[in-house]
Amino acid sequence: MSAHLIALRQALRRLGRKPVATLLSALVIAIALTLPALGYVLVDNVAGLANGISGKPEISVFLKNEVPPDRVKAIETSLRIDPAIAALRFVPRDVALKQLAARGGFADVTGALVDNPLPDAFVIEPRNDTPASFEALRKQIATFPEVAETQLDSEWVERLHAIVVLARSITLLLASLLGAALLIVTFNTIRLQLLTQRQEISVKLLLGATRNYVRRPFLYFGLLQGLLGGVLAWILVAALLQVIAPQIEALAQRYSIALNIGGPAPWQGAVLCAFAALLGWLGAGISVRRHLHDGLVID
Amino acid sequence: MIEFDHVSKHYPGGNEALTNLSLEIRHGELLVLAGHSGAGKSTLLKLIAALEAPTAGRVLVNGLDVGRMRRSQVPYLRRSLGLVMQEHRLLMDRTVFDNVMLPLTISSQPPSDAAKRVRVALERVGLAEFENAMPITLSGGEQQRVAIARAIVNRPSILIADEPTAHLDPAYAREIAALFRSFHAAGVTLILATHDDTLYSPYGARRVELAHGKLLS
Ligand SMILES: Nc1ncnc2c1ncn2[C@@H]1O[C@H](COP(=O)(O)OP(=O)(O)OP(=O)(O)O)[C@@H](O)[C@H]1O
Ligand SMILES: [Mg+2]
């Protein structure tokens, strides 16, 4: 335990001895982490949009005109007991007309109409949301003789889903690439340190230091440097969000999408820092494993 | 006790440093290793501290075959030895005190007890008033004495020194030799490689001479 404290103190001292170099390395790490972290936060927000707004995809079922009310009732009953249907909403033709009139721009048109041209309709929410089961349900409902038309409302949700999935993969790809960059940065920092401390390391080994004793300060150094980079990245992400979130929200507003981009949650920041610290530790570990024996030359 | 049992050492590249060498060093002995440059003196000392491994034969330190011990055990062997090399190998960016403290830190001794032992060791080599000095400000002889203090601070029962006075002028060399003899008088097993065995032979040292990796006498 106290050996770990000594190593931690040594690592801190090394970080503190060259504050500018420390800050620069941490910034390189932070910048590498910022892009995927920012991507993650944005994708997360848009994914919430895709799940939240339209909820489940729906099927609109338009009946033929002049279907007598008792037939409508009968169809509704048979749909309600269908296990493939999770929820059902009946939209009478006059309600549909009112909704249409309420929508901007249509008031004059509807007012000019003598007859209501709209049919009665059902809006169905399927229980199962795979596209295939969806299509099956739509076909089945279309077989009612009173049904004029069925329409899937899921398309844009599916597109949004596809975009989110793509954006997720891209973010993940970026994260792995830039994570590798972080690993390499740490690997190299530690390699240079091992080189400059060759003499000190060989003296310590000569005096009976274990490999762990020699290795530990470097591991802590990598860990702390990564952690520092993670903290800086978190600050960068929060700051960048402050700048671009209003712009993205304004853009979404133009498409009548009420998007409210939230900043990174504390746990997400913690995950980011932990991830950076872990990569720093790993990079240092690999570097020490690779280079320490070279520093062992004792004569 | 240290025992060389038919030990040979080839360095990669074909240099044969030691050939079929057998030697016993008893507890409390003062052994002086003499021999021409390249005779194998340093190699012999390195084998004891597992800084090199023999290519053939066994090197036993207190019954332990140090050439074949597990790598994780080597640090504990080194902690039980005091090593003084030809180059003093001090850390130039630490004070004298911190340099002597190093073996105690490495073996995780409690700091307050350790500080006391560092002062005793510095006292022993006559550098008590230099504990806060940086090694670079000391003379060659004083630096070598810091290295000796560092070697004895763990109170090893075996002290190994490789030409500890080679770079020093005769007055300093005599001073250091006297220091080593006093450790021997205190019961420490002392193994020294030196070109100048007159510093020790009048004081009950056993002299062993190497030539081309073999014992002469
Ligand atoms: N690391 C090494 N790699 C290859 N050959 C080596 C190595 N160390 C020593 N040798 C060779 O082994 C032989 C013995 O070397 P060693 O250093 O033991 O001699 P020495 O008696 O200590 O000499 P000196 O008095 O000059 O210090 C020499 O021929 C030397 O060139
Ligand atoms: Mg030598």
Side-chain angles (χ1 to χ4, degrees), chain A:
Chain A
M1 184 61 222
S2 82
H4 280 273
L5 276 179
I6 289 170
L8 186 63
R9 245 205 335 256
Q10 272 184 32
L12 279 169
R13 212 179 313 124
R14 263 176 219 168
L15 280 167
R17 211 180 293 158
K18 296 196 182 122
V20 178
T22 299
L23 197 68
L24 283 180
S25 308
L27 265 178
V28 169
I29 292 169
I31 291 167
L33 286 172
T34 298
L35 206 55
L38 193 65
Y40 176 84
V41 171
L42 290 178
V43 170
D44 212 31
N45 273 286
V46 174
L49 189 73
N51 292 333
I53 284 200
S54 109
K56 293 262 167 58
E58 294 170 338
I59 302 174
S60 299
V61 180
F62 300 103
L63 299 181
K64 288 177 178 152
N65 278 331
E66 322 295 345
V67 177
D70 57 325
R71 275 308 299 155
V72 174
K73 206 86 210 130
I75 292 171
E76 183 174 351
T77 323
S78 77
L79 288 179
R80 277 205 194 282
I81 57 170
D82 191 326
I85 294 172
L88 175 76
R89 193 153 39 92
F90 178 57
V91 185
R93 49 200 301 244
D94 40 329
V95 174
L97 186 65
K98 269 187 212 136
Q99 279 178 355
L100 187 60
R103 238 186 254 175
F106 284 107
D108 328 337
V109 184
T110 50
L113 291 172
V114 183
D115 254 350
N116 181 357
L118 298 177
D120 290 327
F122 292 105
V123 178
I124 288 170
E125 197 182 295
R127 189 174 304 283
N128 207 329
D129 61 2
T130 67
S133 65
F134 234 65
E135 186 54 25
L137 182 62
R138 189 190 66 80
K139 282 214 178 103
Q140 177 210 319
I141 294 168
T143 56
F144 280 103
E146 293 85 354
V147 169
E149 200 170 337
T150 55
Q151 189 184 317
L152 285 177
D153 293 339
S154 63
E155 241 165 283
W156 80 272
V157 177
E158 274 171 15
R159 275 190 204 142
L160 191 58
H161 262 301
I163 291 173
V164 166
V165 168
L166 179 66
R168 278 233 167 91
S169 328
I170 291 175
T171 309
L172 206 68
L173 206 68
L174 268 180
S176 2
L177 272 177
L178 294 165
L182 194 164
L183 212 68
I184 292 164
V185 167
T186 318
F187 180 87
N188 204 43
T189 317
I190 298 297
R191 187 181 69 84
L192 291 176
Q193 280 191 12
L194 285 166
L195 221 58
T196 53
Q197 288 173 39
R198 242 181 133 89
Q199 166 88 3
E200 177 169 342
I201 291 169
S202 77
V203 168
K204 284 179 177 167
L205 290 169
L206 192 68
L207 296 175
T210 58
R211 284 177 72 80
N212 267 335
Y213 180 91
V214 172
R215 180 162 39 204
R216 234 178 257 129
F218 294 99
L219 293 181
Y220 274 111
F221 185 97
L223 180 111
L224 289 173
Q225 187 177 264
L227 187 67
L228 196 60
V231 172
L232 285 178
W234 191 11
I235 294 171
L236 273 176
V237 167
L240 286 175
L241 272 180
Q242 287 288 320
V243 177
I244 61 172
Q247 294 177 19
I248 294 177
E249 283 164 9
L251 181 71
Q253 193 63 52
R254 285 170 156 256
Y255 294 92
S256 309
I257 299 170
L259 186 60
N260 186 13
I261 294 186
W267 73 265
Q268 286 171 326
V271 167
L272 178 66
C273 292
F275 179 67
L278 180 74
L279 283 181
W281 172 277
L282 261 180
I286 297 170
S287 194
V288 172
R289 176 173 288 271
R290 171 85 179 65
H291 300 295
L292 187 55
H293 54 89
D294 297 338
L296 263 175
V297 194
I298 296 166
D299 48 22

Side-chain angles (χ1 to χ4, degrees), chain B residues 144-213:
Chain B
Q144 195 59 293
R145 265 149 59 190
V146 177
I148 294 168
R150 188 181 64 186
I152 60 162
V153 74
N154 251 334
R155 299 195 204 113
S157 60
I158 301 170
L159 196 55
I160 295 167
D162 192 356
E163 311 197 32
T165 54
H167 292 328
L168 304 178
D169 59 45
Y172 279 134
R174 274 195 299 278
E175 214 175 85
I176 302 259
L179 196 54
F180 276 116
R181 290 196 310 263
S182 72
F183 296 138
H184 172 237
V188 174
T189 307
L190 185 54
I191 305 157
L192 279 149
T194 181
H195 285 293
D196 187 3
D197 54 327
T198 56
L199 290 167
Y200 306 95
S201 10
Y203 305 90
R206 173 176 157 215
R207 183 177 182 280
V208 163
E209 185 165 350
L210 280 173
H212 305 290

Side-chain angles (χ1 to χ4, degrees), chain B residues 11-12 15-17 35-44 46 52 86 162-163 195:
Chain B
Y11 282 105
N15 276 337
E16 172 121 351
H36 61 87
S37 184
K41 305 183 293 296
S42 296
T43 302
L44 191 152
K46 283 179 193 169
E52 295 286 356
Q86 194 163 329
D162 192 356
E163 311 197 32
H195 285 293

